[in-house]
Amino acid sequence: MLFRQFYCIVTVTTCASLTLSAPPGFPSSGNGLWYTAPGHIWAQESLPVGNGYLAAMLPGGTSQESTQLNIESLWSGGPFQDPSYNGGNSLPSQHTQLAQDMQSIRQTIFSSSSGTIGDIGEIMTDAGAYGSYAGAGYLLATLDTSGTVTNYARWLDLDEATTRTTWSQAGATFNRETFCSHPIQACVQYVNSTNQLPPLTYAFSVSAEVGLLTPNVTCFDKSTLSIRGYVSNPGMLYEILAQVEAPGSVTACSAIPGSNPPNATLSVNGASEAWITWVGDTNYAMAAGNAAFDYSFQGPDPHSNLVSILGFSKS
C-alpha cells in the first residue's frame, strides 16, 4: 500500500498524522501520480498520454472530461503559411556579407580577454513565419448526470501509460480510462458504470485553444466524427477521426443545425460501457523538405490514410 502522510507537531512528544492511501488499481510498483481532485492548472495537474503520433492532456473531469488533443506534426507558420519562408537561412546574395561578419565576430572573440562578445545582431535573421507548435482542440465527453461526487480519484499509471479516473455519483460508480497505442497509431478513451451509463455525448471544441481556427466537424458515418481544419489561414491542414463503440446501445451522429462552419456531435444511449477511438494527422511531409519539392514540406491530404488506420485499430 502506498501512502501520503502529513505530519503536525502538537507537542514535543506527540505528533498527529493524516494518512491517505493510493486509490485501488494504482500500480503496486509506485510508478505513477495520483490525485484526489480534478486538475485545474494545466502544467501541474493535467495528466499526459501519447504514442509518438498523437498525445492528450486530461484534467480528470467527472460528468464532463475535456481531453486536449495533440498531433505530433501540427505546426503554425513555416512554408504552409508563407511559401517564401526558408527557415531563416540567408539568401545567396547575402553570403559574402555574412562571411565578413562572421570573420569580424571571430576576431572580436579571440581578442577579448574573456573570449566573449556583446552582440551578434549582424548575423541574426528575422524569425518571420517560423510559427510554433499548435494544440489540436478538445474532445468533450459529457455524461448527463448530476449530484454530489464522492470517492473521487485519478491517476497516471506509468507502467501502463494510462490515465484513470473513478468517482461515485447519483448512486453509481464510474470509471474512465485513456491511453494511446503506438502499434495502432490511435488513442482510446473508455468509460463504464456500475449502472447503465446516462446519456453520453461527444463533441469537439477549440474555444480553449488560443489561435486555432474553428474546423469543420461533420459526420463521417453514424458513429464517427470527422474534424478537418487548418491551423491558420493559410496554414497546415489537419484531420481527426473519432469513432465511438458502445455494444447494445443506440449510437448516432447528428449535425447541429445552423452551425457555420458545420458542427456535429456523437450520442450514446442505453450503454453500460463505451469506447471512443481517435486518429489524427496533418499534410506535413518531411520527405518534401528538399529542392525537388521546393522545400514545401507539404504532403498528401491525410484523410485516406486515417480511414485505413482507424479501420485497422478497430480490427
Side-chain angles (χ1 to χ4, degrees):
M1 181 69 70
L2 302 173
F3 300 96
R4 288 178 177 173
Q5 292 184 321
F6 303 89
Y7 295 96
C8 176
I9 298 176
V10 179
T11 69
V12 174
T13 59
T14 63
C15 179
S17 67
L18 172 65
T19 303
L20 299 176
S21 60
F26 189 78
S28 59
S29 65
N31 293 330
L33 301 169
W34 61 275
Y35 302 80
T36 57
H40 298 288
I41 303 173
W42 184 90
Q44 299 176 9
E45 298 174 344
S46 290
L47 298 178
V49 292
N51 61 12
Y53 302 98
L54 305 171
M57 292 287 279
L58 297 103
T62 54
S63 58
Q64 184 176 87
E65 178 63 300
S66 179
T67 304
Q68 185 185 26
L69 307 182
N70 292 267
I71 303 173
E72 179 219 12
S73 57
L74 189 60
W75 187 271
S76 68
F80 288 84
Q81 181 176 325
D82 180 1
S84 68
Y85 178 73
N86 70 344
N89 295 305
S90 59
L91 300 174
S93 61
Q94 299 171 311
H95 288 178
T96 299
Q97 184 61 52
L98 180 62
Q100 293 172 357
D101 292 338
M102 287 291 294
Q103 181 61 26
S104 175
I105 288 171
R106 292 190 191 98
Q107 290 173 350
T108 302
I109 292 173
F110 293 149
S111 62
S112 169
S113 60
S114 61
T116 61
I117 188 170
D119 182 32
I120 57 169
E122 60 267 34
I123 65 170
M124 300 296 289
T125 59
D126 189 336
Y130 178 78
S132 64
Y133 179 77
Y138 290 77
L139 177 66
L140 307 179
T142 304
L143 292 161
D144 186 12
T145 185
S146 60
T148 302
V149 172
T150 60
N151 302 317
Y152 178 92
R154 66 184 176 103
W155 63 97
L156 174 63
D157 184 332
L158 292 174
D159 291 334
E160 297 186 357
T162 301
T163 67
R164 294 183 170 90
T165 304
T166 182
W167 74 97
S168 297
Q169 189 176 23
T173 297
F174 296 86
N175 297 282
R176 184 184 288 117
E177 301 181 8
T178 307
F179 69 94
C180 296
S181 167
H182 184 272
I184 65 172
Q185 301 179 36
C187 296
V188 180
Q189 188 169 102
Y190 170 75
V191 64
N192 70 6
S193 171
T194 52
N195 297 335
Q196 186 179 86
L197 284 172
L200 172 62
T201 302
Y202 293 101
F204 181 81
S205 174
V206 297
S207 61
E209 200 72 75
V210 178
L212 187 64
L213 301 178
T214 302
N216 292 339
V217 183
T218 58
C219 296
F220 178 70
D221 58 33
K222 68 177 184 179
S223 61
T224 309
L225 285 179
S226 170
I227 301 146
R228 283 176 62 88
Y230 291 88
V231 68
S232 58
N233 184 23
M236 186 180 291
L237 169 69
Y238 71 97
E239 181 172 10
I240 297 166
L241 294 177
Q243 184 174 88
V244 69
E245 181 179 356
S249 72
V250 177
T251 302
C253 185
S254 303
I256 299 176
S259 297
N260 185 24
N263 197 3
T265 61
L266 292 170
S267 60
V268 179
N269 290 278
S272 59
E273 56 185 354
W275 293 260
I276 188 162
T277 301
W278 68 90
V279 297
D281 202 357
T282 71
N283 63 337
Y284 170 83
M286 185 181 296
N290 54 40
F293 292 89
D294 198 25
Y295 299 97
S296 69
F297 291 92
Q298 186 165 332
D301 187 308
H303 178 74
S304 295
N305 188 49
L306 290 177
V307 172
S308 298
I309 294 173
L310 187 62
F312 174 75
S313 71
K314 305 298 287 186
S315 62

